[in-house]
């Protein structure tokens, strides 16, 4: 079965509407899809409706921003109830910090001579509660500072670069708690992409499992085979279910299209087994 359990719409920092995401996934042959916008559930109803029309199985999703040690990690929630008050309140609380962070990013970029970045980023975002680094990156590409979004991140937006602003997101315990409280499965997103040591990753996986996290994105985006092998090993070691994720944001920006990732190693238990299908 072709499965993609992590992607974005313009509700957060994707380029397509929720409907366009589902249509594209269906055209790519995806049979089971989850939409996982950052810190927001808003695209799920529209996506589920179109998925139903097109005969694509759909799972409600979200990707929660978490501060862990000195880094940011992401926890995907799959199969969450959209009307869960605890999850809704938690996500609203996380979103409430985005505007002030963006204002500070604008000031930080102004300090190195890049004017109007906050207003510029806001032209690419749907609301100030959802403005993020990808919207700043699109503005900087538009202004000719870099040739593509990835280069903007490298030079301006990752930790240690002039446009980076530290920000407290949810704790790992909060994110897992909100997801499981809403009846969902907590999945650690793109575990191979964090800039942490091997020992720290083991610490993260242990804590995530202890808190109730159940799955790992063994396949994520354009990760290479070596990385997939390492994450598959961690899934076996910790007894995590395995998820399969494009982390698609848009046709020109993402290296991997919806549903076009590598498959899961056959011996792993896929996370969709426990998603009620
Ligand atoms: P934010 O939640 O505002 O910190 O933005 C995080 C988002 O930025 C991620 O979900 C990606 O969409 C994007 N992003 C993070 N790092 C990179 C990178 N190195 N290259 C391209 N996009 C990135
Ligand atoms: Mn994103
Ligand atoms: Mn992510
Ligand atoms: Mn993502």
């Amino acid at each position: 079965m072709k499965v993609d359990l992590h992607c974005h719409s313009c509700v957060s920092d994707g380029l397509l509407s929720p409907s366009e995401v589902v249509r594209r996934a269906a055209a790519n042959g995806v049979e089971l899809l989850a939409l996982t916008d950052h810190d927001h559930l808003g695209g799920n109803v529209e996506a589920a409706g179109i998925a139903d029309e097109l005969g694509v199985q759909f799972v409600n999703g979200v990707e929660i921003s978490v501060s862990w040690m000195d880094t940011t990690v992401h926890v995907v929630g799959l199969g969450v109830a959209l009307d869960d008050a605890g999850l809704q309140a938690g996500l609203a609380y996380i979103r409430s910090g985005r505007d002030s962070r963006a204002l500070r990013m604008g000031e930080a970029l102004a300090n190195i001579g890049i004017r109007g970045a906050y207003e510029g980023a806001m032209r690419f975002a749907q609301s100030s509660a959802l403005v993020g680094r990808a919207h700043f990156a699109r503005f900087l590409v538009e202004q000719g500072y870099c040739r593509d979004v990835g280069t903007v991140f490298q030079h301006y937006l990752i930790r240690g670069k002039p446009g980076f602003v530290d920000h407290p997101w949810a704790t790992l315990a909060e994110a897992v708690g909100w997801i499981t409280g809403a009846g969902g499965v907590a999945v650690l997103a793109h575990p191979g992409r964090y800039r942490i040591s091997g020992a720290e990753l083991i610490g993260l996986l242990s804590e995530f499992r202890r808190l109730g996290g159940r799955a790992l994105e063994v396949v994520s985006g354009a990760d290479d085979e070596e990385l997939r092998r390492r994450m598959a090993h961690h899934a076996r070691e910790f007894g995590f279910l395995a998820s399969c994720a494009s982390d698609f944001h848009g046709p020109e920006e993402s290296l991997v299209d919806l549903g076009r990732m590598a498959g899961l190693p056959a011996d792993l238990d896929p996370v969709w087994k426990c998603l009620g299908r």
Side-chain angles (χ1 to χ4, degrees):
M1 182 158 69
K2 197 175 260 196
V3 178
D4 191 341
L5 296 175
H6 180 157
C7 64
H8 297 271
S9 76
C10 59
V11 165
S12 62
D13 58 3
L15 292 170
L16 306 180
S17 71
S19 300
E20 289 168 331
V21 168
V22 178
R23 287 188 203 289
R24 190 178 180 95
N28 287 358
V30 173
E31 298 163 87
L32 174 62
L33 179 73
L35 178 68
T36 55
D37 276 310
H38 298 285
D39 309 318
H40 206 298
L41 296 165
N44 280 292
V45 169
E46 178 183 325
I50 303 291
D52 197 38
E53 279 175 30
L54 298 176
V56 174
Q57 294 183 59
F58 183 81
V59 175
N60 294 325
V62 66
E63 180 177 19
I64 304 184
S65 312
V66 167
S67 295
W68 185 82
M69 310 271 279
D70 289 331
T71 191
T72 300
V73 303
H74 286 169
V75 177
V76 160
L78 297 177
V80 291
L82 301 182
D83 61 356
D84 183 83
L87 177 62
Q88 284 181 353
L91 296 178
Y93 154 71
I94 291 304
R95 290 195 299 270
S96 69
R98 278 198 177 263
D99 190 38
S100 60
R101 172 202 189 224
L103 284 164
R104 288 199 295 145
M105 286 177 66
E107 286 162 15
L109 290 167
N111 286 338
I112 56 161
I114 300 176
R115 315 246 161 248
Y118 172 79
E119 293 75 13
M122 280 306 301
R123 282 196 282 108
F124 290 90
Q126 282 204 339
S127 87
S128 61
L130 288 158
V131 64
R133 286 184 293 164
H135 305 111
F136 280 86
R138 286 168 196 154
F139 170 71
L140 265 66
V141 170
E142 179 200 71
Q143 297 297 304
Y145 286 99
C146 293
R147 67 176 184 280
D148 58 39
V149 159
T151 313
V152 178
F153 270 88
Q154 256 174 286
H155 291 293
Y156 295 99
L157 299 180
I158 59 175
R159 183 179 294 274
K161 297 300 174 182
F164 181 84
V165 165
D166 218 349
H167 183 74
W169 302 107
T171 66
L172 192 59
E174 284 171 333
V176 174
W178 296 334
I179 291 166
T180 54
V185 176
V187 185
L188 188 67
H190 40 70
R193 233 180 293 158
Y194 305 125
R195 295 174 152 223
I196 57 179
S197 70
E200 285 167 332
L201 180 60
I202 297 293
L204 172 61
L205 296 174
S206 311
E207 190 176 334
F208 180 63
R209 188 180 59 176
R210 182 172 56 73
L211 292 168
R214 291 190 56 197
L216 211 55
E217 283 181 357
V218 170
V219 171
S220 172
D223 284 358
D224 63 23
E225 200 187 330
E226 156 66 15
L227 200 54
R228 288 200 302 275
R229 254 205 309 272
R230 275 175 41 214
M231 297 311 131
H233 169 74
H234 288 314
R236 291 183 196 105
E237 188 181 28
F238 283 85
F240 283 124
L241 301 168
S243 191
C244 210
S246 66
D247 203 359
F248 179 79
H249 282 71
E252 269 98 53
E253 281 188 13
S254 293
L255 296 173
V256 172
D257 208 326
L258 292 158
R260 296 271 161 86
M261 314 75 78
L264 282 182
D267 68 301
L268 296 179
D269 283 330
V271 67
W272 50 96
K273 288 259 172 78
C274 73
L275 291 172
R277 45 201 90 227

